[in-house]
Amino acid sequence: MQKEILISCSSSKVDGDLYFSFKRILKYYRISLFFNLINQHLLSLHKKLQLRYFMLCDDVFARNLFSRKQREAQSAPGWKLFGKVPLRESPPKDSKTIQQEYEAKVSKSGQRKNLEFEPLSTTALILEDRPANLPAKSEEEAQRHRQEYDEMVAEAKKRELKEAQKKKKQMKERFKQEESIANAMVVWNNEILPNWESMRGTRRVRDLWWQGLPPNVRGKVWSLAIGNEMNITSDLYEIFLSRAKERWKSFRETGSEMESDGTADRESSLDLIKLDISRTFPPLFIFQKGGPYHDLLHSVLGAYTCYRPDVGYVQGMSFIAAVLILNLEEAEAFIAFTNLLNKPCQMAFFRVDHELMLKYFAAFEVFFEENLPRLFNHFKSSNLTPDLYLIDWIFTLYTKSLPLDVACRVWDVFCRDGEEFLFRTGLGILRLYEEVLLQMDFIHIAQFLTRLPEDTPSERLFSCIANTQMISGNRKWTQVFNALLKDKEMEKSSSPTVKNS
C-alpha cells in the first residue's frame, strides 16, 4: 500500500513536469509563428513598395531623358534663372528679339500663354511674363520694367565704353613710355655714359635725367653721380664683411655684441638690423628671411656698421641699401651706400645732429612759405612742424613713403641735384595734396603725410615739383641754408661774450 502511494505520487510529479514543459513549448511556438507572420507581411509590403519605386523611376527616367525635345518645344512657363538651359539648334535670341516677341504676344491677346522661348539671362526675366501661379504684370509695370531695363543697358554700355577707353589710353601711354625708355637707353649707353664727364652737365642730359633714367642704366648712373670720395674698393668691402660675420658669430655664442675694446654699440645691434630688414618693402617679399635678397641686405648693412662704428646702424638705412641692391651688384651697392650716407644732409640726420637738423627744417620752411603760403599758415595754426613728416622722408629718401617706381625717379634727380631736391620733393608732395591737407586737422595731417596714398601719380608729382621754385628773395637753397649756418655760428661765438658781460 505504501509502494502504490509512492508510485502514484511520482507519476503525478512526472505528468506535471511534462505538462509544464509542453505548455512552455506551445508558448514559444505561438510567439515564433507570430513573428514569422509579421516577417512575411513586411516582406510582401517591401516588395510592393520596391516595385512601385522602380515603376516611378522608369516613368521619370522616360519623361526626362526621352522626351527632352518635346519639353523644349512645349516648355512650361516659369523662371529658369539658375537652372541649366539645354543647347538649342537655333542661335540664342538677343534682348531686342525677346522684347519684340513679348510685345507681339501682348498685342495679340491679353491672355497669358506659355512662352515659346526659355530665358537665357536676367534680361529675359525683366521682359517675359510671370509664372502662372503669380499675378500677371500690369501694363504700367511692364512699361516701367522695360524702361528700367533700357536704362540699365545704356548705363552698362556707357561704363564698358568708358573702361575700354581708359584701358586703351593706359596701353597707349604704356607703349609710349616703353618706346621713350628704349630710345633713352640707346642715348645713355651710346652717347652719354662713354662721355660722362663732358656730357653730364649739358642741357640735353639734364632734361633726359629729369624724365627718369632707364632701369638698365639707372644703377650705373647713380654710381657715377654719387661718386666714390671715400675710395672704397671691393676688397675693403670683403674685409669689413668678414669682420661683421665674426661679430655676428661672437654674438650668437656670447649673446652680446661687444667690440674689441669692450664697448657695445646699441645702434648696430644685430637685433635692430634683423628687425628693420623684416620691415623693408614687405609687399615685395624679397628682403624678408628666406627671400633672395635677405642675406645680401644683411651683409651690406653689417659691413657698414663695422666700417662706420661712429654712425652705426640707424633705422631707415635698410630702405636705402635695399634700393641700391636692386640696381647694383653687392660690392657696388656697398660703395654707393657708404658714399651716399657720407653726404652732409644724410650724415646730419643719421648722426642725429639736432642743431644742424633744425637748420635744414628752418631752410625748408623759408621755401614752404614762399611757395605755399596758405598751407604754410594752416600748418602754423595747427602747430605742425616739419620734423613730424620730413624726418621719415629724409631718413629713407622717400622710399618708404612713395611707390617704389616714383621713389626711384626721385632718386634719379636727387643724384643730379643733390640735397636741395629732397626738400623740393617734399614741397612738391605738399603742393600735390594741398587742397586735401587744408581740410584736415593736426592728427589727420600727420597721419596722411606719414602714409601717403599708394597711387601717388608720378607725372602729377613731378609737375608739382617743377612748379616749386627754390628761390626766396633772389636767394637759392644753398644761400639760404648757409645764411642760417652763419647765424648759428654767430650765436655760438656771441654767447660767451654775453655771459662775460
Side-chain angles (χ1 to χ4, degrees):
M1 186 70 179
Q2 192 174 359
K3 287 183 177 179
E4 290 178 357
I5 293 171
L6 290 172
I7 292 171
S8 173
C9 290
S10 61
S11 62
S12 63
K13 183 179 179 181
V14 170
D15 291 341
D17 291 340
L18 289 173
Y19 172 76
F20 285 113
S21 298
F22 177 77
K23 189 174 181 181
R24 191 180 298 113
I25 292 170
L26 182 63
K27 181 179 179 181
Y28 288 151
Y29 173 75
R30 286 175 178 173
I31 292 171
S32 175
L33 182 64
F34 174 73
F35 279 110
N36 286 337
L37 289 173
I38 291 176
N39 287 336
Q40 289 178 3
H41 179 70
L42 290 174
L43 184 63
S44 174
L45 182 62
H46 174 69
K47 288 182 178 179
K48 288 180 181 179
L49 290 173
Q50 193 174 21
L51 180 62
R52 184 172 298 179
Y53 171 78
F54 282 120
M55 290 175 63
L56 181 62
C57 288
D58 289 341
D59 183 44
V60 172
F61 181 81
R63 281 188 294 166
N64 284 348
L65 294 183
F66 299 107
S67 60
R68 180 176 291 180
K69 291 184 178 179
Q70 184 178 0
R71 270 194 315 112
E72 291 184 26
Q74 298 178 352
S75 59
W79 292 1
K80 297 184 179 180
L81 179 58
F82 301 106
K84 286 187 176 180
V85 179
L87 297 174
R88 311 180 190 198
E89 298 178 359
S90 59
K93 301 174 183 178
D94 58 7
S95 58
K96 290 185 178 179
T97 306
I98 294 174
Q99 186 174 359
Q100 290 173 359
E101 291 183 1
Y102 172 79
E103 291 175 350
K105 281 193 301 177
V106 172
S107 61
K108 285 182 181 178
S109 173
Q111 298 179 355
R112 304 174 68 239
K113 298 180 181 179
N114 291 341
L115 294 173
E116 296 180 357
F117 59 91
E118 294 179 351
L120 299 177
S121 64
T122 53
T123 299
L125 295 180
I126 296 173
L127 299 177
E128 72 172 70
D129 286 341
R130 285 176 179 162
N133 59 336
L134 295 176
K137 292 181 183 179
S138 64
E139 184 62 30
E140 294 80 6
E141 187 179 8
Q143 183 66 28
R144 189 178 75 252
H145 286 176
R146 285 195 295 271
Q147 184 178 354
E148 291 174 354
Y149 167 73
D150 291 338
E151 291 174 357
M152 288 164 52
V153 171
E155 188 65 28
K157 287 182 178 179
K158 188 186 297 183
R159 186 166 56 252
E160 288 178 2
L161 181 62
K162 188 176 181 180
E163 289 177 358
Q165 290 175 348
K166 182 180 178 182
K167 189 175 291 185
K168 185 178 179 181
K169 184 180 179 181
Q170 289 176 347
M171 291 298 293
K172 189 176 180 181
E173 290 177 354
R174 182 179 175 183
F175 290 144
K176 185 179 178 181
Q177 184 179 9
E178 289 178 355
E179 185 179 0
S180 175
I181 290 173
N183 295 333
M185 180 182 64
V186 173
V187 174
W188 280 99
N189 283 323
N190 297 338
E191 301 180 29
I192 300 174
L193 290 177
N195 306 290
W196 173 254
E197 293 300 331
S198 60
M199 292 193 66
R200 64 177 298 180
T202 62
R203 182 70 179 176
R204 181 190 178 197
V205 172
R206 291 182 65 84
D207 290 343
L208 279 174
W209 218 327
W210 177 268
Q211 295 170 11
L213 298 172
N216 61 341
V217 302
R218 176 169 275 151
K220 181 66 175 175
V221 175
W222 286 358
S223 183
L224 290 170
I226 293 171
N228 187 12
E229 294 179 356
M230 306 182 74
N231 297 319
I232 300 174
T233 61
S234 300
D235 294 336
L236 191 64
Y237 168 65
E238 294 297 334
I239 291 171
F240 285 105
L241 178 59
S242 62
R243 189 176 298 178
K245 289 180 178 178
E246 290 176 3
R247 192 170 164 188
W248 296 332
K249 184 179 179 182
S250 104
F251 176 82
R252 285 193 294 268
E253 291 174 354
T254 62
S256 62
E257 194 171 3
M258 303 294 292
E259 292 290 344
S260 57
D261 59 355
T263 59
D265 187 358
R266 65 178 181 83
E267 291 290 322
S268 59
S269 69
L270 185 62
D271 289 338
L272 185 57
I273 293 177
K274 283 184 176 179
L275 179 63
D276 223 16
I277 288 177
S278 66
R279 297 180 296 194
T280 304
F281 299 120
L284 298 181
F285 298 106
I286 57 176
F287 296 106
Q288 286 65 38
K289 191 171 184 179
Y293 291 105
H294 173 268
D295 295 339
L296 193 61
L297 180 57
H298 200 269
S299 298
V300 170
L301 294 174
Y304 179 78
T305 58
C306 291
Y307 178 72
R308 291 298 301 265
D310 58 320
V311 179
Y313 179 78
V314 183
Q315 288 186 358
M317 286 183 178
S318 62
F319 283 89
I320 299 175
V323 173
L324 291 170
I325 287 170
L326 290 174
N327 292 276
L328 291 165
E329 296 298 328
E330 182 177 354
E332 294 175 346
F334 175 77
I335 294 170
F337 179 72
T338 307
N339 282 277
L340 180 61
L341 264 57
N342 198 51
K343 303 291 183 184
C345 180
Q346 277 63 51
M347 191 55 64
F349 277 80
F350 282 114
R351 297 189 73 170
V352 197
D353 188 336
H354 188 66
E355 291 185 2
L356 195 54
M357 289 170 65
L358 288 177
K359 296 304 175 184
Y360 277 108
F361 296 148
F364 175 81
E365 285 193 305
V366 170
F367 294 97
F368 186 4
E369 185 178 13
E370 187 77 25
N371 286 274
L372 304 165
R374 280 201 309 154
L375 190 60
F376 176 80
N377 292 328
H378 181 61
F379 277 26
K380 280 290 185 183
S381 62
S382 301
N383 294 320
L384 191 75
T385 53
D387 57 291
L388 293 176
Y389 50 92
L390 271 183
I391 286 179
D392 190 51
W393 291 354
I394 303 299
F395 264 114
T396 61
L397 300 181
Y398 296 98
T399 53
K400 187 179 177 182
S401 306
L402 294 173
L404 186 56
D405 58 331
V406 181
C408 284
R409 191 173 169 188
V410 170
W411 277 43
D412 293 342
V413 189
F414 163 59
C415 290
R416 185 194 77 172
D417 294 348
E419 64 183 36
E420 175 187 330
F421 189 74
L422 293 178
F423 297 94
R424 189 180 180 189
T425 300
L427 292 173
I429 293 172
L430 297 178
R431 182 185 293 274
L432 177 63
Y433 296 110
E434 180 179 12
E435 297 302 325
V436 177
L437 294 170
L438 285 170
Q439 309 300 321
M440 295 181 178
D441 57 9
F442 176 89
I443 298 296
H444 291 92
I445 293 173
Q447 291 176 345
F448 182 86
L449 294 179
T450 303
R451 288 191 174 185
L452 295 172
E454 295 180 358
D455 57 347
T456 301
S458 176
E459 295 301 327
R460 285 184 58 198
L461 173 60
F462 271 78
S463 175
C464 291
I465 294 173
N467 292 329
T468 301
Q469 303 299 322
M470 300 299 283
I471 298 176
S472 176
N474 295 324
R475 295 186 304 169
K476 296 183 179 180
W477 166 267
T478 52
Q479 294 172 324
V480 171
F481 183 70
N482 289 333
L484 291 169
L485 288 179
K486 286 181 181 179
D487 293 342
K488 173 186 173 184
E489 293 175 358
M490 289 177 64
E491 288 175 2
K492 283 185 176 181
S493 61
S494 62
S495 57
T497 308
V498 174
K499 288 181 181 179
N500 293 330
S501 61

